[in-house]
Amino acid sequence: MSTAREAVPVLLLRPEEVARALRISRSKVYELIRAGELRSVKIGGARRVPAAVLAEFVTRLQEAA
């Protein structure tokens, strides 16, 4: 039996984590969510951005450049 813990992939990111990853403000993340440019989900009262959605968003930015 292995004693090392298996790495669990991060599936959902807090808006603060998205802001840090994109080097933008947290308010800009919420602005992108409200504008429909960045999809998110709500779990209870918490807003989360799926990691796959963030990757798609960055791809769209690259394609538009």
Side-chain angles (χ1 to χ4, degrees), residues 4-20:
R5 292 184 179 192
E6 291 185 37
V8 177
V10 175
L11 300 176
L12 298 172
L13 301 165
R14 295 186 331 257
E16 296 80 10
E17 294 170 316
V18 173
R20 213 171 23 250

Side-chain angles (χ1 to χ4, degrees), residues 1 12 23-24 33 35 37 46-47 52 54 56 58 61-62 65:
M1 179 161 50
L12 298 172
R23 303 211 187 275
I24 61 175
I33 290 169
E37 294 182 47
R47 179 70 58 186
L54 182 57
E56 291 169 8
V58 171
L61 290 176
Q62 290 174 322

Side-chain angles (χ1 to χ4, degrees), residues 37-61:
E37 294 182 47
L38 187 62
R39 294 188 326 270
S40 66
V41 297
K42 221 169 170 194
I43 301 175
R47 179 70 58 186
R48 298 292 185 261
V49 176
V53 168
L54 182 57
E56 291 169 8
F57 177 74
V58 171
T59 299
R60 284 195 315 272
L61 290 176

